Amino acid sequence: MSQARGLYTLWLREVKRFLRDRTRVISSFVQPILWLVIFGAGFGMHFSIPGINYQQYLFPGIIGQTLLFTSMFMGISVIWDREFGFMKEIMVAPISRFSLFLGKMLGDSSDALIQGIIVLVIGTVLGISVNPMGFLLILPIMLLITFGLVSIGLIIASFMGSLESFGAIQTFINLPIFFLSGALFPVNGPLAQGVPGWMQTASVFNPLTYGVDALRQALLGGSYVALQPLWVNITVICGFDIAMIAVGTWAFTRMK
Amino acid sequence: MSNIHIIETNKLTCSFNGLKAVDNLDVTVDSGEIFGLLGPNGAGKTTTISMLCTILKPTGGYAKVNGYDIVKEAMQVRRSIGIVFQDPSIDDRLTGRENLYMHANLFGVPSSEQKQRIDSILKLVELEDRADDLMRTYSGGMRRRLELGRGLIHYPKVLFLDEPTVGLDPQTRDHIWKYIKELKNTHDITIVLTTHYMDEAERLCDRIGIMDHGKIIALDTPSKLKETLEGDVITVKAAQIDELTALLAEKLGLMQSVIVDGALEITVRGGRAIMPRIMEVAADNKIFIDSILLREPNLEDVFLHYTGRNIRADNTRELHGFAAIQRRKIR
């Protein structure tokens, strides 16, 4: 019971901090608009997917990208907390490291989810047509995607000493995951003719591949030819989440 | 005062890279007292507290806090204690009240009691009118006060204060001291504090352990500690200080003297009578005395007596590095 209360309070803290940081919330509007409008228009001139226009194809990918970048960036909160001493207050509290990790992870995931919803709304406002039923399906999918990704961010941050090195690692991890997830163009499956074999292989091991595929299934419905059945995508994402939470708990246990 | 030992350590040791930051520490703290650990930076005070707070695992020996083993029963120890760290540990993006609620939830204070406890804490540390402001707008002293209050919300048996007034202006320090005393009077609590300020230890503590190089070298009440000294202290400043030291030893038999920061400190009984004779010796030998000062012994002299150096003396450089290592580890 006291563990649950501790977990809740850690969750609440992350969400409060996020919502108070107006610049972060506002900046989350701008990037997806740039991708969808400018990149979408330019790339769409030369690239076509049978049955759907490119912007429609890109839209779930940009949601995936937003979830990825936000989630990974959240790891920074661990370094922040250590730098400003707040981590010590949490570390001496009588709650388990599992609760500590879970509370932080769920809080950061909620923040990433809020960002994802903002992008979803922006896309709809921009007139990108989506499957109306998809709105119900997409929220749990987005949340499941963020669990694993936030965990990676937190795990990396728990091993890092400073903010500077965190930035560098982000570059090495974020962009490859993004480019090889099929968010911008098919990296795998029947549409990926001519994509180098190693890239296809890498995308199979990329958790976001399954996330983006699931988001497309939800938002585009029957007009999209999926890589995997939805249940396979969800199963892979859940498996990844569980593995990352386990590693994260271990990483937080050894954290001083 | 009861004789129950709320804290008990047995050969408690912690070493970093072969260096013993805390070296076979045996100490007991009685229930209800204010116990001070006094020593220069790097003496091992923070390391000791970190172990007692279960943040740092000892490399040898054991300790019990409120009857619980600090390693095997860490969770129970955590529930029994409150801590105010040396460095700030608040979330400055939240309000004061939010920080307190978060602490109450983390430490399992029943929801039904939270509001009432938090209101009374805010009253105690006089932050009621600022409670709903973001903490980034607080001054250093206000943050410290909130942290002090926060450490009490879950009604701990022992409150640890690590250098509670370091970096604060004199007025704020005075304020904080007032709160600490008030805490002891209004709550059934034992307070363990570390400090390298003599006046702080003297004003607050029932008993003081003087710590140096990871060991407690003297432990008693402030007045008993002072009694161990021979008597008054005469401080003489002069250009030819070494010469004067030798002369005073030869002519007046003043053997109990140390040179600290270029000034001669002589410990002696009946200082008032000795002073004119020191002037005489100096004048006879054409040594010009810049200043001469007589004072009753204070804890600083006690420290000097036990360690042979001034607590503020600049021989703490290597120890500074040591403290830095340990602080990084704790973070």
Side-chain angles (χ1 to χ4, degrees):
Chain A
M1 185 57 208
S2 71
Q3 295 288 329
R5 184 121 43 78
L7 200 148
Y8 161 76
T9 201
L10 290 169
W11 171 84
L12 187 66
R13 165 174 182 253
E14 298 297 334
V15 175
K16 267 189 185 163
R17 280 174 65 101
F18 175 75
L19 293 177
R20 270 175 204 169
D21 195 349
R22 294 229 178 80
T23 49
R24 240 161 91 196
V25 178
I26 289 168
S27 75
S28 69
F29 281 79
V30 182
Q31 226 193 21
I33 294 180
L34 295 177
W35 279 100
L36 287 171
V37 174
I38 302 176
F39 185 87
F43 213 63
M45 287 196 303
H46 307 285
F47 192 78
S48 65
I49 307 279
I52 36 179
N53 74 39
Y54 180 67
Q55 260 191 343
Q56 277 180 306
Y57 178 82
L58 180 64
F59 183 41
I62 296 306
I63 294 177
Q65 181 235 31
T66 305
L67 297 179
L68 170 70
F69 283 16
T70 319
S71 298
M72 295 291 250
F73 180 76
M74 289 297 174
I76 240 174
S77 68
V78 174
I79 301 177
W80 247 182
D81 285 351
R82 225 174 322 158
E83 208 91 334
F84 289 98
F86 185 76
M87 192 53 98
K88 278 183 296 186
E89 153 79 357
I90 306 176
M91 303 268 263
V92 293
I95 63 166
S96 70
R97 290 298 166 88
F98 175 66
S99 304
L100 170 52
F101 179 79
L102 214 59
K104 245 184 142 38
M105 192 276 276
L106 291 174
D108 290 345
S109 292
S110 306
D111 298 347
L113 182 67
I114 295 168
Q115 298 259 27
I117 292 171
I118 291 173
V119 177
L120 191 65
V121 172
I122 288 173
T124 319
V125 170
L126 288 177
I128 299 169
S129 67
V130 293
N131 170 22
M133 279 303 288
F135 279 106
L136 292 175
L137 199 53
I138 196 169
L139 293 181
I141 295 176
M142 288 201 290
L143 200 56
L144 285 176
I145 293 172
T146 61
F147 287 168
L149 295 176
V150 165
S151 298
I152 300 182
L154 291 175
I155 292 163
I156 294 173
S158 77
F159 285 95
M160 294 264 131
S162 68
L163 291 170
E164 292 82 359
S165 45
F166 189 72
I169 295 282
Q170 293 285 55
T171 314
F172 284 104
I173 293 179
N174 271 355
L175 291 178
I177 291 184
F178 174 42
F179 290 144
L180 293 171
S181 69
L184 300 175
F185 52 87
V187 191
N188 211 332
L191 294 171
Q193 298 291 327
V195 171
W198 69 267
M199 278 171 64
Q200 301 206 19
T201 312
S203 81
V204 174
F205 293 100
N206 183 350
L208 197 60
T209 302
Y210 304 90
V212 169
D213 199 36
L215 290 173
R216 287 210 172 104
Q217 282 165 313
L219 283 183
L220 304 176
S223 49
Y224 170 67
V225 184
L227 301 175
Q228 308 283 351
L230 187 59
W231 70 268
V232 173
N233 282 328
I234 301 284
T235 309
V236 172
I237 297 169
C238 286
F240 175 68
D241 289 349
I242 292 167
M244 286 303 110
I245 290 169
V247 176
T249 305
W250 167 78
F252 269 47
T253 309
R254 58 165 286 289
M255 187 164 62
K256 288 266 159 66
Chain B
M1 193 178 298
S2 67
N3 278 325
I4 300 158
H5 294 154
I6 192 105
I7 297 176
E8 208 180 322
T9 76
N10 191 300
K11 296 197 168 41
L12 191 66
T13 303
C14 187
S15 33
F16 300 112
N17 310 320
L19 286 166
K20 282 183 177 167
V22 174
D23 189 0
N24 285 298
L25 195 72
D26 290 319
V27 69
T28 53
V29 175
D30 295 334
S31 188
E33 72 174 337
I34 300 186
F35 183 88
L37 279 175
L38 177 74
N41 290 326
K45 305 178 308 253
T46 300
T47 309
T48 305
I49 287 219
S50 299
M51 285 191 287
L52 295 177
C53 294
T54 76
I55 306 174
L56 203 61
K57 281 217 170 84
T59 53
Y62 70 85
K64 285 187 169 186
V65 175
N66 195 26
Y68 300 113
D69 187 283
I70 56 165
V71 176
K72 289 177 212 138
E73 299 164 298
M75 281 294 169
Q76 282 94 322
V77 171
R78 289 176 181 201
R79 279 195 198 99
S80 318
I81 61 172
I83 313 152
V84 178
F85 295 101
Q86 191 167 346
D87 305 312
S89 65
I90 41 128
D91 186 339
D92 66 354
R93 307 279 170 125
L94 298 182
T95 67
R97 198 187 300 276
E98 284 169 339
N99 266 287
L100 296 181
Y101 268 108
M102 191 157 59
H103 183 90
N105 277 321
L106 283 173
F107 280 78
V109 176
S111 335
S112 53
E113 287 178 35
Q114 289 186 358
K115 191 186 178 307
Q116 179 261 321
R117 285 201 204 183
I118 286 169
D119 285 345
S120 76
I121 290 288
L122 284 168
K123 198 170 177 183
L124 176 75
V125 295
E126 293 175 49
L127 284 171
E128 294 154 295
D129 50 333
R130 295 294 305 274
D132 296 308
D133 294 343
L134 289 185
M135 285 202 68
R136 56 206 302 194
T137 65
Y138 283 32
S139 70
M142 288 163 66
R143 288 171 190 223
R144 208 71 186 140
R145 262 148 60 194
L146 192 99
E147 286 184 308
L148 207 60
R150 184 179 66 178
L152 294 168
I153 291 180
H154 55 288
Y155 293 163
K157 291 267 183 261
V158 187
L159 181 64
F160 290 97
L161 308 173
D162 195 2
E163 301 278 1
T165 65
V166 86
L168 299 177
D169 59 85
Q171 209 186 343
T172 312
R173 292 182 67 198
D174 226 65
H175 240 70
I176 301 269
W177 287 343
K178 199 188 89 196
Y179 292 123
I180 294 174
K181 287 208 149 170
E182 207 166 299
L183 281 184
K184 200 209 149 180
N185 294 335
T186 52
H187 292 65
D188 171 27
I189 198 167
T190 309
I191 297 174
V192 176
L193 65 88
T194 73
T195 183
H196 64 279
Y197 296 125
M198 298 291 172
D199 49 349
E200 188 161 285
E202 201 160 355
R203 273 198 43 185
L204 290 175
C205 300
D206 299 314
R207 282 194 311 148
I208 295 169
I210 296 182
M211 212 170 169
D212 196 27
H213 296 301
K215 290 185 172 163
I216 286 190
I217 48 180
L219 197 161
D220 219 320
T221 63
S223 55
K224 286 249 178 66
L225 281 172
K226 283 186 281 187
E227 276 171 28
T228 57
L229 291 186
E230 284 285 300
D232 306 336
V233 178
I234 299 171
T235 308
V236 187
K237 278 194 178 169
Q240 300 124 290
I241 199 77
D242 294 324
E243 206 179 317
L244 183 65
T245 310
L247 278 167
L248 292 177
E250 184 195 318
K251 308 251 170 171
L252 303 177
L254 298 175
M255 308 302 282
Q256 277 243 34
S257 56
V258 211
I259 295 174
V260 179
D261 299 336
L264 177 63
E265 296 207 343
I266 307 159
T267 311
V268 70
R269 281 180 205 278
R272 279 166 205 275
I274 303 277
M275 280 231 295
R277 299 183 56 196
I278 293 175
M279 309 279 273
E280 227 172 70
V281 171
D284 288 350
N285 293 279
K286 308 235 164 5
I287 293 174
F288 179 73
I289 291 183
D290 295 324
S291 69
I292 185 161
L293 191 75
L294 170 79
R295 60 190 163 80
E296 311 273 296
N298 61 24
L299 276 179
E300 199 130 358
D301 306 306
V302 178
F303 186 82
L304 191 65
H305 172 81
Y306 281 105
T307 64
R309 57 203 163 78
N310 194 302
I311 195 162
R312 286 189 304 259
D314 188 29
N315 50 14
T316 52
R317 190 173 298 160
E318 60 164 323
L319 297 166
H320 260 303
F322 206 51
I325 291 171
Q326 107 195 21
R327 207 183 289 181
R328 266 199 298 277
K329 293 223 170 184
I330 290 160
R331 277 183 175 167

